[in-house]
């Protein structure tokens, strides 16, 4: 069965899910205990919104996604202020990174052929330290079944416990809890957590660390350099705009902001940040350190830390050094267009590059450096 056919089946029985059953609440409470930053949550297969009230009590701002219009209509009646999306998780793009993603008795309706991709997508949709809790079939290998136990036809599939754990690990998550919570029935729920940035990352003489408030004055001075702005085709920010920009970036859990150190000297910064529902990468290296391979090494380290894909980078076509650094790490030019002038950027021909593969190269010696976003 396709997800759309599953949705049609749920449309027929949506009213049955209006009860306020606490099924799954204890398991969700266990998952919430692992979440350090209770900011945003996503309920995949939110149905009538049964779990959203519990998440709200814990302080989460929760988005809901469901493929069944009838189920979603009930959720909208319960939570008129919530952001609710009608969509198929196989194709739906997460709008930003979440601190908690719940997929309780939902993703097992995804076709077996799409299960690995969907689980990987959810892992990559977590903020650093974020938690994913989902239920699945407790089999030793992949399996799929169809029945009519609820009345209309229904479909279930599972990767099996061993493969599910491998997918989680490959996507940068650690299994925190696995339980056959309805034994002897083969119902399993898994709690996984995205690895946090837990200290400096190193690559030869280059390492990354978190951006400190004390770095901002040096960063402001660096972005005033005329040659750097000509290469990146940018306009320097005023002090007021710079402070506002970085105050927002440093407070946003969806942003990954790292200082770049070369031989323990602060030489620039590199970031991953959301724009318009896409995760973008940008960096800036101080001009005296160009040509030393620092940008390439810094990007290599960032891609080891940030597991979500795809990643997007926008570069002026005249900035050949940045294009080479990005392409060396697997970014592919997907379109070239004339970008209009803004307060931050002059009009220029711009290449949009996308990284879709799961990780950076295994090693990187770095040969080029440039100024970036």
């Amino acid at each position: 069965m396709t997800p759309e056919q599953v949705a049609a089946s749920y449309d027929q029985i949506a009213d049955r899910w209006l009860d306020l059953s606490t099924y799954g609440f204890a398991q969700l409470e266990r998952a919430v205990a692992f979440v350090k930053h209770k900011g945003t949550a996503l309920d995949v297969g939110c149905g009538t919104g049964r779990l959203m009230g519990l998440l709200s009590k814990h302080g989460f701002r929760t988005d809901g996604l469901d493929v069944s219009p009838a189920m979603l209509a009930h959720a909208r009646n319960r939570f008129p202020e919530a952001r609710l999306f009608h969509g198929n998780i196989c194709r739906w793009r997460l709008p930003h990174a979440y601190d908690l993603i719940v997929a309780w008795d939902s993703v097992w309706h995804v076709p077996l052929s799409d299960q690995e991709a969907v689980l990987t997508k959810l892992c990559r949709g977590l903020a650093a330290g974020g938690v994913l809790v989902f239920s699945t079939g407790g089999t030793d290998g992949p399996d799929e079944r169809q029945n009519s136990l609820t009345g209309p036809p229904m479909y279930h599939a599972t990767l099996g416990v061993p493969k599910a754990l491998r997918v989680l690990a490959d996507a940068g998550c650690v299994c925190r809890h696995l339980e056959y919570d309805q034994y002897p029935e083969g119902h399993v729920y898994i709690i996984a957590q995205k690895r946090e940035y837990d200290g400096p990352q190193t690559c030869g003489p280059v390492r990354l660390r978190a951006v400190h408030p004390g770095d901002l004055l040096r960063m402001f001075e660096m972005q005033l350099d005329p040659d750097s702005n000509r290469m990146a085709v940018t306009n320097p920010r005023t002090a007021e705009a710079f402070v506002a920009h970085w105050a927002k970036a440093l407070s946003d859990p969806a942003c990954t902001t790292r200082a770049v150190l070369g031989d323990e000297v602060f030489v620039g910064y590199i970031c991953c940040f959301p724009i318009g529902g896409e995760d973008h990468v940008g960096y800036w290296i101080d001009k005296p350190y160009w040509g030393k391979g620092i940008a390439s090494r810094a990007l290599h380290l960032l891609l080891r830390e940030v597991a979500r894909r795809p990643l997007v980078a926008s570069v002026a076509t005249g900035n050949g050094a940045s294009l080479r650094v990005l392409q060396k790490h697997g970014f592919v030019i997907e379109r070239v267009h004339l970008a209009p002038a803004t307060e931050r950027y002059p009009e220029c021909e711009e290449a949009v590059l996308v990284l879709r593969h799961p990780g950076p190269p295994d090693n990187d010696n770095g040969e080029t450096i440039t100024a970036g976003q």
Side-chain angles (χ1 to χ4, degrees), residues 24-36 99-104 119 123 126 129-136 161 164-165 168-169 172-181 187-195:
F25 278 30
Q27 295 90 331
L28 183 54
E29 292 279 4
R30 184 185 290 272
V32 168
F34 286 97
V35 183
K36 295 181 180 179
D99 300 297
L100 173 66
I101 296 179
V102 181
W104 189 260
L119 187 55
C123 291
L126 292 169
V131 170
L132 167 67
V133 54
F134 67 100
S135 52
T136 186
V161 172
L165 294 177
L168 292 172
C173 290
V174 177
C175 179
R176 300 298 186 199
H177 186 85
L178 186 155
E179 181 180 342
Y180 283 78
D181 60 332
H187 184 278
V188 170
Y189 82 97
I190 298 174
I191 300 172
Q193 188 167 34
K194 185 76 164 285
R195 295 188 184 95

Side-chain angles (χ1 to χ4, degrees), residues 178-218:
L178 186 155
E179 181 180 342
Y180 283 78
D181 60 332
Q182 298 175 20
Y183 190 82
E185 293 184 28
H187 184 278
V188 170
Y189 82 97
I190 298 174
I191 300 172
Q193 188 167 34
K194 185 76 164 285
R195 295 188 184 95
E196 286 190 273
Y197 178 77
D198 55 3
Q201 302 284 333
T202 62
C203 179
V206 175
R207 74 181 181 99
L208 304 184
R209 62 161 171 78
V211 171
H212 300 156
D215 299 325
L216 296 182
L217 178 58
R218 183 74 190 99

